[in-house]
Amino acid sequence: MGQWWLFFAIDPAMPTPAAAKPTRRDLANAIRFLAIDAVQAANSGHPGMPMGMADIAEVLWNDYYSHNPNNPDWFNRDRFVLSNGHGSMLQYALLHLSGYDLSIDDLKNFRQLESKTPGHPENFMTPGVETTTGPLGQGFANAVGMALAEKLLAQRFNRPEHEIVDHRTWVFMGDGCLMEGISHEAASLAGTWGLHKLVAFWDDNKISIDGNTDGWFTDDTPARFEAYGWNVIRGVDGHDSDSIKRAIDAAMLSNDKPTLVCCRTTIGYGSPAKAGKESSHGAPLGPDEIIATRGALAWEHDAFHIAPEIYDGWRAGNAGLVREEQWNRAFDGYAQRYPELADELTRRSHAELPADFVEQADAYIAKLQAEGPVVASRKASQMAIEAFAPLLPELVGGSADLAHSNLTLWSGSKSVATDDPNANYIYFGVREFAMTAISNGLSVHGGFIPYDATFLVFSDYARNAVRMSALMAAQAIHVYTHDSIGLGEDGPTHQPIEHLASLRYIPNNDVWRPCDAVESAVSWRAAIQRGNGPSCLIFSRQNLDHQPRSEAQVADIARGGYVLKEGGANPRLILIATGSEVGLAMQAAAQLGDDVRVVSMPSTDVFDRQDAAYRESVLPDACRKRVAIEAGVSDFWRKYVGLDGAVIGIDTFGASAPAGKLFPHFGFTVERVVEAANSL
């Protein structure tokens, strides 16, 4: 009997039994073990969160998430954001299993140089990653921006018989995201705006790096979100597919509020020795514990091996093609009925500017040069918005409770808190950090050019989100007014000193500090045209003199630095200045002689990208006598004047007094510039 059974079992003529259809737990375990194996191979990473949230992810992606792995940029796709981005292997596993261009070899290359699977999700590295996350809470705020984008586009373009913009934003977040203050700011705004297509899943596992959070995170999170105006679904078992599915069904019924789904999970789920412990949070499980976890979860496959039936249960490519094709047919019908709206949506979804924008912007700049208004550059900024915004329905933004100081309102401003189809103005309230991260979300969603605004000194509150704008090349325009000691009586708490240099040191971040209305308009035009990164536009409170220029000089403003006063073919001395100090440099040059050149440098970032010949034409190496003048920290300017030049800056905090008293008190006078020049 035993010998017959052995023969039967190995008889090659017998058909192979069909593999059993994988269960939901089998599909979720594929996420778990891809994460476990990748972290172990890299000897670095965070396996615990992917193991804990795998069941939630499986239900969401297989039953609800509307996407097309064949075209990650399909316009009407749902957006998925992993705010707790340290658990990046969860997202990489999802992308691989569902059919995106992310191979098993890419997963094996987790956290390695130039791999498509970096330590935290990066939207410019990995197909299917919508936004770059990692700094906790910012992904959640990005998701709020994405949901706001969907709301505004739907208001603008949808018609009763054509719901052409109709997608959801899903975000995973952990305790760390909720501890960060940005989550409070962003959640409050999401509730105020009624972003009902935003669904956030809270991974309530009570563990962070330092251990059980009972000692430092005892907030009543559900009550907090209810107070913000959210729909809150409590008590969801994050490891029970039916419970998760019921929660998502309930979330999708909300038509006036965003939803928080509170999921109780176990970090490191399935690990006999490390489940529920901080030891599974940020370190590999180790070979022995991986073997034990495979046994505990009945996963009989080797590292990085996914059985065909598991792939079959996950692959979403065919369904994605059907979804997009159905939408394309719907859009064709929409375009026949509303051709102008369809053309506008197509243009905006492809980040293309209106065909006549550059021509009209140039005409406005030429008009300013001819008229020569003497205004504060913050007023010039408002004038530029007033001129450009009617040409750009995609321009949307606002201020952190400083609209009448930042001067971001214009005659066509309409609050996004309304159902107006042309809503375009955001009252962010005093929420600088969330404001900036929401702008990033609007940008990476597509269809908008967002701007935000506050005082320059308060860019500190927003700086990490500005850094993220630059890292992921998000076209967000950050407007900062009250740019120096020139704001006067508010004193050193409000007077920026180091902020210009700090923002300039962020890679891929274009900082503009214009000297008059013409340079201000050029800076706005440059920020609108840029397309591959953020711009920080820095404006004054006080009036600035208009500077005379030729047509060629006006054109050269866009190159970041240019010769404002020639000083002959071989200048004896070069004065370099930005913003309000350009006028001071021009006055000093008039006293120093005809052989003194004045260079206006509104954007050092843009100037540094010019070719060597142009830079030499502006700052010839032969002229070593150079003085830089800017009401900010001085060390930054040594790159242009060298150790043998002079810098007139401010390396202390300011003081409370009228601006007219402060500038001479801190040495920003013609006499000081002349003295410094003559000392070289």
Side-chain angles (χ1 to χ4, degrees), residues 62-82:
N62 280 325
D63 288 16
Y64 298 94
Y65 187 48
S66 179
H67 63 129
N68 181 9
N70 307 283
N71 180 12
D73 297 324
W74 170 40
F75 179 73
N76 199 47
R77 68 192 182 277
D78 285 358
R79 270 62 170 181
F80 175 78
V81 177
L82 192 73

Side-chain angles (χ1 to χ4, degrees), residues 571-576 597 599 618-620 623 625-627:
R572 170 179 62 88
L573 171 75
I574 301 175
L575 303 179
I576 311 169
R597 174 175 291 186
V599 171
V618 175
L619 296 175
C623 183
K625 291 186 177 182
R626 303 179 182 186
V627 181

Side-chain angles (χ1 to χ4, degrees), residues 540-552:
S540 72
R541 180 192 184 195
Q542 71 274 26
N543 286 351
L544 304 179
D545 291 336
H546 171 73
Q547 298 299 331
R549 299 177 185 85
S550 68
E551 186 175 333

Side-chain angles (χ1 to χ4, degrees), residues 116-298:
K116 292 165 68 174
T117 50
H120 292 82
E122 298 173 8
N123 64 328
F124 52 89
M125 293 294 291
T126 313
V129 171
E130 301 286 354
T131 185
T132 302
T133 59
L136 293 176
Q138 284 198 61
F140 172 61
N142 293 165
V144 172
M146 294 176 191
L148 176 62
E150 194 276 343
K151 171 184 182 289
L152 296 179
L153 289 170
Q155 288 176 193
R156 168 67 178 160
F157 292 102
N158 285 354
R159 294 297 180 265
E161 70 279 23
H162 291 280
E163 295 285 321
I164 205 66
V165 179
D166 180 21
H167 52 267
R168 295 180 179 274
T169 303
W170 312 90
V171 56
F172 282 11
M173 58 184 180
D175 292 333
C177 294
L178 292 169
M179 288 184 233
E180 290 285 359
I182 191 173
S183 71
H184 298 255
E185 299 177 18
S188 177
L189 285 168
T192 297
W193 296 333
L195 302 179
H196 67 278
K197 290 185 179 177
L198 171 64
V199 180
F201 295 85
W202 169 32
D203 181 26
D204 179 18
N205 61 34
K206 296 190 179 298
I207 294 294
S208 65
I209 292 174
D210 284 349
N212 191 291
T213 59
D214 285 345
W216 51 87
F217 185 51
T218 59
D219 304 15
D220 187 341
T221 296
R224 168 186 152 194
F225 274 75
E226 286 169 345
Y228 291 145
W230 284 57
N231 173 42
V232 176
I233 301 174
R234 301 169 183 248
V236 176
D237 182 344
H239 301 297
D240 182 290
S241 298
D242 292 336
S243 178
I244 297 163
K245 191 170 176 59
R246 286 192 298 271
I248 298 175
D249 286 339
M252 294 181 70
L253 294 175
S254 177
N255 60 12
D256 61 348
K257 297 178 181 181
T259 298
L260 176 71
V261 181
C262 304
C263 299
R264 190 74 178 92
T265 64
T266 300
I267 192 170
Y269 180 89
S271 169
K274 296 189 176 183
K277 299 177 181 178
E278 65 271 21
S279 57
S280 69
H281 183 284
L285 296 186
D288 292 342
E289 188 60 19
I290 291 174
I291 292 172
T293 305
R294 278 182 155 79
L297 293 177

